[in-house]
Amino acid sequence: MPATIIDGKAFAARVRTQVAGHVTRLKQDHGITPGLAVVLVGEDPASQVYVRSKGKQTVEVGMKSVEHKLDAQTSEADLLAVIDRLNKDPEIHGILVQLPLPGHLDEDLVINSIAPEKDVDGFHISNVGLLGTGQKSMVPCTPLGCLMMLRDHHGSLSGMEAVVIGRSNIVGKPMAQLLLGDSCTVTIAHSRTKDLPEVVRRADIVVAAVGRPEMVPGDWIKPGATVIDVGINRLDAPEKGEGKTLLVGDVDYESCAAVAGAITPVPGGVGPMTIACLLANTVTACCRANSLSEPEGLTA
Ligand code: NAD
């Protein structure tokens, strides 16, 4: 039987509709408009695209969007001063500093200067600790999106064998924590893992977050397993025309889809869920800031 395609684009649209509904209620019942501030330092083209897209979607769900575009040479002190003002601004409920930052800025210092309750990326050390100890936290957007899709597809994940390939702080590690929180038996594989194919073959759930195009072939996948492909890799595609590129994931889609029970495509899988979860996190942060009950199903 062919694998079920988990449609992240459609799922993200549903999440945005849910978020928009909560925003409307917050405005009508409480006179509150959730606000998201995005800080971009420098002119990295990919970051500019992400920031534009985030701003557009924030406005589309009825929230307030604020963008701070700072010069690539901005000093750490000036950047921290901007974050400090946003931390104190009652109309701002979520703050996101677009990464990567220019080399002269200390990313850890900058991220840890965001008020943890406004850290909608979930990268602040307090949120990392809260997630790791199973307490209420802001959860990183990409793993949160993966978790939502897995829960939607399987219902309960309890007792399932999960293998996360990749141990980054923004995807691999928080993904593993979330799966553990849902009572999976979790293995984190990485570049030094011995016999990766054998490790992956025992998984009911495979999350690939490596950054290597089509690295996972179908013969690593247990028949019927669910494959979540986080990878975004751009390959040259001269056959499509000069300068054209092709987006592929970290798994070899065709061969994995032939064996898996369910799989996320690239594009149209995990990618769209990331910004949808950023909006979800902002509404959650706004509700918490105002001691209102949190929207259901939008957080871990
Ligand atoms: P990263 O470079 O920080 O981490 C990659 C991880 O992969 C490392 O922990 C490393 O140990 C592991 N790794 C490298 N080579 C390996 C190998 N041969 N075998 C096993 N493990 C190996 O990357 P990241 O930030 O976690 O991102 C991973 C991928 O996910 C990238 O393609 C990135 O573009 C994509 N990504 C997508 C989204 C989204 O919204 N869909 C968000 C974040 C990242």
Side-chain angles (χ1 to χ4, degrees):
M1 226 174 46
T4 301
I5 296 167
I6 300 178
D7 184 345
K9 207 172 157 193
F11 201 121
R14 290 205 298 278
V15 172
R16 285 196 301 273
T17 303
Q18 252 179 295
V19 169
H22 286 293
V23 172
T24 302
R25 276 191 289 281
L26 281 166
K27 283 181 183 173
Q28 282 175 355
D29 300 349
H30 304 282
I32 300 165
T33 302
L36 172 65
V38 177
V39 182
L40 173 65
V41 187
E43 265 113 47
D44 178 58
S47 294
Q48 284 179 328
V49 172
Y50 287 135
V51 167
R52 250 199 313 278
S53 187
K54 284 167 187 170
K56 184 168 168 277
Q57 293 191 33
T58 304
V59 172
E60 278 168 4
V61 295
M63 300 201 284
K64 174 176 165 168
S65 166
V66 176
E67 281 176 25
H68 286 267
K69 292 190 176 152
L70 307 178
D71 192 82
Q73 274 77 47
T74 299
S75 70
E76 206 157 77
D78 285 348
L79 175 57
L80 294 179
V82 169
I83 294 171
D84 187 49
R85 279 202 300 280
L86 294 169
N87 282 342
K88 291 175 179 148
D89 185 340
E91 292 190 2
I92 295 298
H93 306 95
I95 303 170
L96 178 150
V97 176
Q98 185 65 43
L99 300 179
L101 288 172
H104 67 285
L105 299 169
D106 179 341
E107 261 178 28
D108 287 338
L109 182 83
V110 170
I111 296 302
N112 289 327
S113 73
I114 299 171
E117 64 279 11
K118 294 190 179 189
D119 166 41
V120 279
D121 250 344
F123 296 160
H124 189 289
I125 190 71
S126 296
N127 282 313
V128 175
L130 290 167
L131 177 63
T133 49
Q135 300 179 67
K136 196 189 267 189
S137 65
M138 294 310 302
V139 178
C141 304
T142 300
L144 177 58
C146 297
L147 183 76
M148 283 185 186
M149 290 193 286
L150 284 166
R151 282 179 177 170
D152 184 65
H153 184 71
H154 286 285
S156 169
L157 307 181
S158 180
M160 294 180 85
E161 193 78 49
V163 172
V164 179
I165 319 175
R167 57 175 160 182
S168 71
N169 290 337
I170 64 167
V171 188
K173 284 183 200 156
M175 186 75 248
Q177 294 287 4
L178 289 171
L179 291 165
L180 194 58
D182 270 28
S183 301
C184 290
T185 302
V186 183
T187 303
I188 305 180
H190 46 78
S191 53
R192 302 291 174 87
T193 296
K194 286 187 184 147
D195 204 354
L196 184 61
E198 264 323 296
V199 172
V200 176
R201 267 183 207 117
R202 59 172 193 249
D204 304 310
I205 293 170
V206 180
V207 181
V210 187
R212 289 180 183 256
E214 301 174 323
M215 188 190 94
V216 178
D219 67 358
W220 291 13
I221 303 298
K222 177 161 107 176
T226 298
V227 178
I228 304 290
D229 191 352
V230 181
I232 300 178
N233 307 289
R234 214 169 265 287
L235 302 181
D236 291 333
E239 71 281 2
K240 290 172 70 185
E242 205 189 306
K244 294 283 181 196
T245 56
L246 177 71
L247 216 55
V248 299
D250 288 344
V251 312
D252 177 48
Y253 185 80
E254 293 303 325
S255 64
C256 288
V259 189
I263 188 165
T264 58
V266 175
V270 176
M273 286 299 287
T274 298
I275 299 186
C277 286
L278 174 68
L279 305 176
N281 276 349
T282 305
V283 126
T284 299
C286 178
C287 291
R288 287 179 187 170
N290 290 285
S291 305
L292 297 168
S293 57
E294 288 176 29
E296 270 186 35
L298 291 184
T299 188

